[in-house]
Amino acid sequence: MDTSTKQDKLLFFGITFGALAAFTFIINYVNPIIGFGLEYIFLLAILMAGIITILKFDLGRISEKYKNPSLYLISGIIWSILAIMKWLKYFNKDNFDWIIASIFTVIAIINWIGYFKKSNK
């Protein structure tokens, strides 16, 4: 049984919010961050609980709308540009940008493979 009611979603949101608010309050109490008050703790907990609730209950319905090849193409182009920028920065200066450039390249390759697989080219 994979159905869920609004009460289930609200209960899950409430439990998640309470746990995250308590967790962030404890972290802020043990290691205080200057300027990070109680209002920010609750705002962060509400935001994270909302994201977790949406991912748990509505991710399948949301992702069905965006399963077309053009999004893989756009994403592949963006990640390729980012990878090229990082590789050029690495080759111009001897630093540790090769790690991020390698990760961006792998993500770009995965997106290009997804594009060609979905578009049957």
Side-chain angles (χ1 to χ4, degrees):
M1 190 161 138
D2 196 22
T3 60
S4 59
T5 62
K6 289 183 181 181
Q7 290 85 9
D8 292 339
K9 292 178 185 178
L10 187 60
L11 181 65
F12 183 80
F13 175 80
I15 292 170
T16 307
F17 168 71
L20 287 172
F23 185 65
T24 53
F25 181 77
I26 290 169
I27 289 174
N28 194 34
Y29 182 76
V30 171
N31 191 9
I33 301 169
I34 299 195
F36 195 74
L38 195 60
E39 62 275 358
Y40 292 118
I41 289 174
F42 286 120
L43 185 64
L44 180 66
I46 286 173
L47 180 67
M48 292 300 294
I51 291 171
I52 291 170
T53 304
I54 288 172
L55 289 176
K56 175 158 178 32
F57 289 105
D58 296 329
L59 183 64
R61 212 172 43 194
I62 292 170
S63 65
E64 286 176 5
K65 297 177 185 176
Y66 301 108
K67 286 189 177 181
N68 57 6
S70 63
L71 291 175
Y72 284 110
L73 176 66
I74 294 168
S75 180
I77 291 171
I78 291 171
W79 284 107
S80 297
I81 290 170
L82 290 172
I84 290 169
M85 288 170 45
K86 286 295 182 181
W87 281 115
L88 289 175
K89 187 176 178 184
Y90 168 68
F91 288 130
N92 289 336
K93 300 175 185 171
D94 192 20
N95 55 15
F96 290 102
D97 276 343
W98 68 271
I99 297 170
I100 296 173
S102 300
I103 292 170
F104 285 178
T105 305
V106 168
I107 294 171
I109 290 170
I110 290 170
N111 281 301
W112 283 111
I113 289 171
Y115 169 70
F116 287 116
K117 189 184 273 187
K118 292 283 183 183
S119 66
N120 295 326
K121 290 185 178 184

